[in-house]
Amino acid sequence: MVLKQRAKVQALPGCPMSKCMGLLGGLWTPELIWALNDGARRFSELRRDCPFISAKVITSRLRDLEQRGVLSRRVMPTSPPTVEYDLTPLGRELLPAIKSIVEVGSRLLLRDKH
Amino acid sequence: MVLKQRAKVQALPGCPMSKCMGLLGGLWTPELIWALNDGARRFSELRRDCPFISAKVITSRLRDLEQRGVLSRRVMPTSPPTVEYDLTPLGRELLPAIKSIVEVGSRLLLRDKH
DNA sequence: CGGTATCCCCTATGATACTG
DNA sequence: CAGTATCATAGGGGATACCG
C-alpha cells in the first residue's frame, strides 16, 4: 500500500481567486487587514480594535502576512518597545476586495432586519 | 502557495464582515459560488468546473450553502437523476465581493509576472 | 448520475500562563 | 508593551470505496 502522503492544499498556479484567497486565508485575516485601512497601527491598538481575536492569533496572522508581503513590521528602539504594522502596496491592493465583503455583509444584515 | 484551511465563522452577530465571511466560509466556497455565476449548474458540471475540489467537499459546501439560503437545489424526476443548483437572490448578492476577489487576484498575478 | 461512508490527518484557533 | 509557550480541540479537507 502506498503511504498516504497527504497532499497539501495547493493553489492552482495562475488562478486569480486562489491568489487572492491565499492572502485572505485565515479566519481573522480580513479583519486585521481592514484594521490597517486608515494607516499604521501598533500591536496594542490592533488588540483593542479586534478584541475578539486572541493575542496569539493576531501575532500569528501578522507574521504570516508580513512574510507574504502584505504588511510591514517596524520596531522602534523605544522603551518600552513600540511596534508598528502597516500595509504594503500589495496589502493595499486587497482593500477593495475586503471593502466589497464588508459592504455585502452590511446589506445582508439590513435585509435580516426587515 | 499553500491555501489555508478556513475555520468556521460563527462569532460576532451583527458584524458585517462576519456576516459575509460566514457565507464565504470554507476554503473552496467562493469558487463554487463563482461557478454558478452564469446560471444553474448540475452536480457533474460543478465537478468538471472545479476538478480540484473533491466530491465530498463539493457536497458538503453545497449542503451548507443551501441551508444558509445562498443557493437552491432542484432534483428533477429523471432517470438517471438530475440535480440542479442555482444561486438565490441572497447568493447573487455575494457575487460583487467575489468578483472583487477575483479582480484583485488577477492584478496580483500580473504583478508577479513583471 | 449524484451522491455516502470511512478513516484519518492537519491546521487554525482558543485558553491560560509567562517574559524581556 | 509586545509578545511566547504550552496544551487542547473542532472541523475542514483528502483519499478511497461503495450505493440507489
Side-chain angles (χ1 to χ4, degrees):
Chain A
M1 255 338 265
V2 184
L3 285 187
K4 278 202 230 174
Q5 188 133 17
R6 185 176 176 285
K8 295 228 168 174
V9 183
Q10 297 288 334
L12 315 154
C15 170
M17 196 178 308
S18 289
K19 178 67 184 178
C20 185
M21 290 306 284
L23 296 177
L24 295 185
L27 176 54
W28 301 117
T29 312
E31 296 277 2
L32 271 181
I33 297 178
W34 193 239
L36 293 173
N37 193 10
D38 298 328
R41 305 294 271 164
R42 297 173 52 185
F43 186 82
S44 52
E45 293 177 313
L46 290 175
R47 291 204 64 176
R48 256 176 280 128
D49 291 345
C50 311
F52 38 88
I53 315 183
S54 68
K56 191 187 97 176
V57 172
I58 292 184
T59 307
S60 153
R61 296 301 95 221
L62 287 175
R63 293 282 181 281
D64 189 50
L65 290 171
E66 188 191 355
Q67 201 151 26
R68 290 166 182 269
V70 171
L71 52 79
S72 62
R73 178 173 182 268
R74 260 181 55 224
V75 184
M76 347 267 287
T78 55
S79 172
T82 299
V83 181
E84 254 190 21
Y85 295 90
D86 202 358
L87 291 178
T88 61
L90 173 64
R92 247 166 258 127
E93 300 237 28
L94 295 171
L95 288 175
I98 298 180
K99 187 159 176 248
S100 226
I101 290 172
V102 173
E103 282 170 2
V104 171
S106 301
R107 278 195 288 118
L108 297 181
L109 285 178
L110 277 178
R111 264 174 61 135
D112 285 353
K113 289 180 188 165
H114 303 165
Chain B
M1 184 196 359
V2 178
L3 290 186
K4 282 178 199 289
Q5 167 183 323
R6 300 196 68 92
K8 199 170 183 183
V9 182
Q10 254 170 1
L12 309 173
C15 169
M17 198 177 308
S18 288
K19 177 68 183 178
C20 185
M21 290 306 285
L23 296 178
L24 296 184
L27 179 53
W28 301 116
T29 311
E31 297 277 2
L32 270 182
I33 298 178
W34 193 238
L36 293 173
N37 194 10
D38 298 328
R41 306 292 269 163
R42 297 173 53 185
F43 187 82
S44 51
E45 293 176 315
L46 290 174
R47 290 204 66 176
R48 256 176 278 126
D49 291 344
C50 311
F52 39 88
I53 315 182
S54 68
K56 188 186 98 176
V57 172
I58 292 185
T59 306
S60 154
R61 295 302 97 217
L62 287 176
R63 292 284 181 280
D64 190 50
L65 290 171
E66 187 190 356
Q67 200 150 26
R68 290 165 182 270
V70 171
L71 52 79
S72 61
R73 177 174 185 268
R74 260 182 55 226
V75 185
M76 348 267 289
T78 55
S79 173
T82 300
V83 181
E84 254 190 19
Y85 295 91
D86 201 357
L87 291 178
T88 61
L90 173 64
R92 248 166 256 130
E93 301 236 27
L94 295 171
L95 289 175
I98 298 180
K99 187 158 177 249
S100 226
I101 289 172
V102 174
E103 281 170 1
V104 172
S106 301
R107 279 196 286 116
L108 296 181
L109 285 178
L110 276 179
R111 264 174 60 134
D112 284 353
K113 289 180 188 166
H114 303 164

